[in-house]
Amino acid sequence: MSMKPHWTGSALKHGALWLAALAIFFPPYVLVLSSFKGKQEFAHSPAFSWPASFLNLDNFRFVLSKGELFHAFGNTLSIIALSLIGNLLVSTMAAYALGRFQFRAKSFIMGVYIAMSFIPMITTQVATFTVIKHLGLFNTLYAPVALYVGADIMQLYVYLQFIRAIPYELDENAMMEGASLLRIYWTIVLPLMTPAIVTMMIIKAINIYNDMYIPYLYMPARELGVVSTSLMRFVSDRTTEWQYVSAAVLLIMLPLVAGFLLAQRYVFAGIVAGAVK
């Protein structure tokens, strides 16, 4: 009698997991099928039917040429590289100042960071756009970089957990040896924060790679297109060439999926270490 409820609960859990897996993998499955279909085949065949040939690479050749995906990948990587360097310096220095020093505005600054996380980004875009325009960054690769370098509350929280776990005696010993605060930050604190830095940089890079709103708003020029905005070249007011969109999305997804699979252990290790600390 006692085994029946246990068996029923186990079956429900496994059924829910299979349904969740189906919901997750079903869209990519349809995407892969659609990316290998020709225009006529896509229009007249069911969405779940297999393509006539998985060796049909015409859609991929078309999106690489018309969509200028190689150029878009270059722009995206440039933005990610510049943004990560700036974000690393800004966020770790902010966390170092908040975690190591005592000053009157410390609680106020943390409160502002927390409050800003509750404000939707869309509500501040008029003011942000005006600032970017007056700085002369509109329609340049530096416009999204200027917006991505800022530290968010998640980064500060994770970095603060690591900094507070670093013994302050290390700072004191370095000061006795004549080291400046900047040297202490660069040679002691920053290397000991490597697990958290790697984790946050991976998450930040994924967010930048997936973002479409900021590049679309601040870089409308065609030559400044990134991987996310390049998809719009296959969409018009009257029609959408879904076979090309599917091929482009598949090409854009591959580096992201491969990068995440290679780096996922660093992401999970950094988050768990930060939570334990």
Side-chain angles (χ1 to χ4, degrees):
M1 295 295 293
S2 60
M3 295 296 294
K4 187 174 181 180
H6 174 73
W7 180 87
T8 304
S10 179
L12 290 174
K13 292 178 181 178
H14 282 81
L17 290 175
W18 277 108
L19 288 175
L22 181 63
I24 292 173
F25 289 104
F26 182 72
Y29 171 75
V30 176
L31 181 72
V32 171
L33 297 182
S34 301
S35 62
F36 288 95
K37 294 180 179 180
K39 186 174 183 179
Q40 296 297 326
E41 184 182 5
F42 181 86
H44 297 93
S45 65
F48 314 120
S49 64
W50 281 34
S53 174
F54 280 101
L55 298 178
N56 178 23
L57 303 178
D58 293 340
N59 294 337
F60 298 98
R61 297 191 188 98
F62 183 83
V63 299
L64 286 174
S65 59
K66 182 182 178 180
E68 302 175 1
L69 281 186
F70 285 121
H71 185 68
F73 275 116
N75 290 338
T76 303
L77 292 178
S78 299
I79 293 173
I80 290 177
L82 294 174
S83 300
L84 292 186
I85 294 173
N87 178 260
L88 170 64
L89 295 176
V90 171
S91 57
T92 54
M93 285 184 176
Y96 176 61
L98 293 172
R100 277 295 196 249
F101 308 127
Q102 298 295 330
F103 50 94
R104 292 183 178 180
K106 180 177 178 179
S107 300
F108 174 76
I109 293 175
M110 287 298 299
V112 170
Y113 267 103
I114 295 174
M116 289 299 296
S117 65
F118 292 99
I119 300 177
M121 185 181 66
I122 191 68
T123 61
T124 61
Q125 285 308 302
V126 174
T128 304
F129 186 88
T130 303
V131 172
I132 295 296
K133 185 81 171 178
H134 287 337
L135 290 175
L137 301 179
F138 178 70
N139 236 352
T140 68
L141 289 176
Y142 302 107
V145 172
L147 299 176
Y148 291 140
V149 296
D152 56 47
I153 187 61
M154 179 181 177
Q155 289 179 313
L156 283 181
Y157 179 77
V158 173
Y159 289 154
L160 282 173
Q161 304 312 306
F162 275 81
I163 289 177
R164 289 167 180 168
I166 299 173
Y168 188 70
E169 287 77 8
L170 294 177
D171 296 36
E172 293 177 337
N173 291 336
M175 291 178 186
M176 293 177 62
E177 295 294 332
S180 64
L181 293 177
L182 183 60
R183 184 172 180 83
I184 294 172
Y185 156 79
W186 188 256
T187 60
I188 297 177
V189 176
L190 202 61
L192 293 176
M193 293 173 59
T194 299
I197 291 173
V198 173
T199 301
M200 291 296 101
M201 292 301 101
I202 293 173
I203 295 175
K204 188 75 173 180
I206 293 175
N207 291 335
I208 296 173
Y209 189 89
N210 288 332
D211 188 22
M212 181 179 183
Y213 178 76
I214 288 179
Y216 177 70
L217 181 61
Y218 294 96
M219 299 189 308
R222 182 180 178 88
E223 64 272 12
L224 297 177
V226 295
V227 291
S228 57
T229 57
S230 62
L231 295 175
M232 302 185 65
R233 297 170 185 173
F234 309 105
V235 179
S236 63
D237 295 335
R238 296 183 179 180
T239 182
T240 300
E241 298 170 309
W242 289 111
Q243 71 278 6
Y244 297 139
V245 173
S246 300
V249 170
L250 187 60
L251 289 175
I252 292 172
M253 283 177 56
L254 289 178
L256 190 63
V257 173
F260 181 77
L261 290 177
L262 293 174
Q264 62 176 337
R265 65 189 184 96
Y266 298 105
V267 177
F268 296 142
I271 292 177
V272 171
V276 172
K277 292 179 185 300

